[in-house]
Amino acid sequence: MTDDLTPGAASGSTQPSIDLSKYTLTSAAEVVHHLRGIVQQGQMVTVFSNKGKSFILTRILALDNVARTMVLDWGANEHANKLFLESERNIYVCSPAGVKTQFTTGQPRRISFQGGDAFEVALPEQVIKLQRREFFRIPTPIANPVLCQFLDHPAGELALPLADISLGGAALVLSTAQAAKFHIGDHYQVSIELKPFGVLQVQLEIRHLIPVQHKNGQESIRAGCCFANMNTPRETMVQRYVANLERERRALVR
């Protein structure tokens, strides 16, 4: 397993990462089989280019196992398309059937496919396929959102709502404008009030940024983050908070 497939590796972080070797498909047959499943499902794929500073939302249109290439749909944003074409290393993220998938490719080229523009890239040599969550993750309240206060962001103090939380990290909800201020691999000191158990002071690492299309047509960005410097007291606080949320959820269901 190489660092190149780990989100945020380009940041030079020395923080420990989850061992992904057991989740990595390395044989050509396994890689193609998994990618074909993504094609058949019509799964949307987020591609991060320009060192994680830009992204496009696309689909895999076709695979050529002989030529070892795949074709991607042309993006809606021409500026982002241009950055993708110029980017030498690109990270792909999607979640077919809830299974998080990630891989990298080199620089794409512009081609004509079925009468329209498309991207062509070499097939990835390996694919990370996370078949289960490392930690139990639970949604946070919508009516009374849990806010994550950023204490050292260059843009100043920010307070962003959590979408969910687990012992290993949390997901934040960002507007597209706010997402432009964050990059994969960034580390920030944050403060999260986990009522009634206390305030979690922790370092947060941005692991992925995924566009989310809502039923009303609006779009937001989901930022998947991991806690980078947990210790026993902090873990205990999060565990108690998650357990309390789960008890409340079960009580509502009953």
Side-chain angles (χ1 to χ4, degrees):
M1 178 61 199
T2 64
D3 288 339
D4 285 345
L5 279 180
T6 304
S11 69
S13 168
T14 58
Q15 295 293 336
S17 297
I18 297 171
D19 178 14
L20 297 175
S21 59
K22 58 185 176 181
Y23 303 117
T24 303
L25 307 178
T26 56
S27 80
E30 287 180 321
V31 168
V32 170
H33 176 75
H34 188 60
L35 293 178
R36 286 200 190 284
I38 295 173
V39 175
Q40 292 167 359
Q41 293 177 39
Q43 177 74 37
M44 298 300 295
V45 179
T46 305
V47 186
F48 296 95
S49 61
N50 190 26
K51 298 181 179 179
K53 297 177 182 177
S54 62
F55 65 86
I56 64 169
L57 197 60
T58 183
R59 284 188 176 92
I60 303 174
L61 301 178
L63 300 172
D64 189 330
N65 196 21
V66 176
R68 304 298 298 165
T69 59
M70 65 180 178
V71 178
L72 305 171
D73 197 13
W74 194 252
N77 186 308
E78 288 301 326
H79 179 62
N81 290 341
K82 180 177 181 296
L83 292 175
F84 181 36
L85 286 169
E86 296 171 351
S87 181
E88 296 180 355
R89 177 181 177 275
N90 305 286
I91 300 175
Y92 299 67
V93 179
C94 62
S95 298
V99 178
K100 183 180 176 184
T101 296
Q102 180 178 303
F103 55 91
T104 66
T105 71
Q107 190 167 359
R109 68 186 187 95
R110 184 174 186 168
I111 64 169
S112 178
F113 181 78
Q114 296 181 348
D117 289 327
F119 302 103
E120 184 180 68
V121 296
L123 287 175
E125 294 183 359
Q126 51 189 18
V127 170
I128 296 173
K129 178 185 174 186
L130 291 177
Q131 301 182 54
R132 62 180 177 85
R133 290 189 184 275
E134 290 296 312
F135 303 102
F136 176 68
R137 188 179 296 267
I138 190 166
T140 51
I142 297 175
N144 187 23
V146 179
L147 295 180
C148 177
Q149 300 276 351
F150 284 77
L151 307 178
D152 59 352
H153 196 282
E157 288 193 14
L158 292 174
L160 300 173
L162 266 62
D164 58 43
I165 189 171
S166 75
L167 185 59
L172 305 176
V173 180
L174 289 70
S175 68
T176 52
Q178 290 170 330
K181 302 174 183 177
F182 293 88
H183 305 104
I184 296 173
D186 286 351
H187 286 77
Y188 298 104
Q189 291 296 329
V190 301
S191 174
I192 306 172
E193 187 171 4
L194 301 179
K195 297 178 180 179
F197 302 105
V199 177
L200 178 67
Q201 302 278 355
V202 71
Q203 188 179 68
L204 208 65
E205 179 185 348
I206 308 297
R207 283 295 183 93
H208 59 79
L209 298 161
I210 300 178
V212 177
Q213 191 77 33
H214 300 282
K215 293 181 180 179
N216 60 7
Q218 294 183 344
E219 187 177 89
S220 65
I221 306 298
R222 182 184 178 91
C225 310
C226 73
F227 298 138
N229 62 339
M230 292 292 276
N231 55 25
T232 300
R234 291 168 184 157
E235 289 178 351
T236 300
M237 184 189 302
V238 174
Q239 285 175 328
R240 293 176 66 193
Y241 180 75
V242 168
N244 188 59
L245 284 184
E246 178 62 8
R247 282 195 297 269
E248 292 177 350
R249 185 190 67 82
R250 290 180 178 177
L252 288 174
V253 170
R254 286 196 294 267

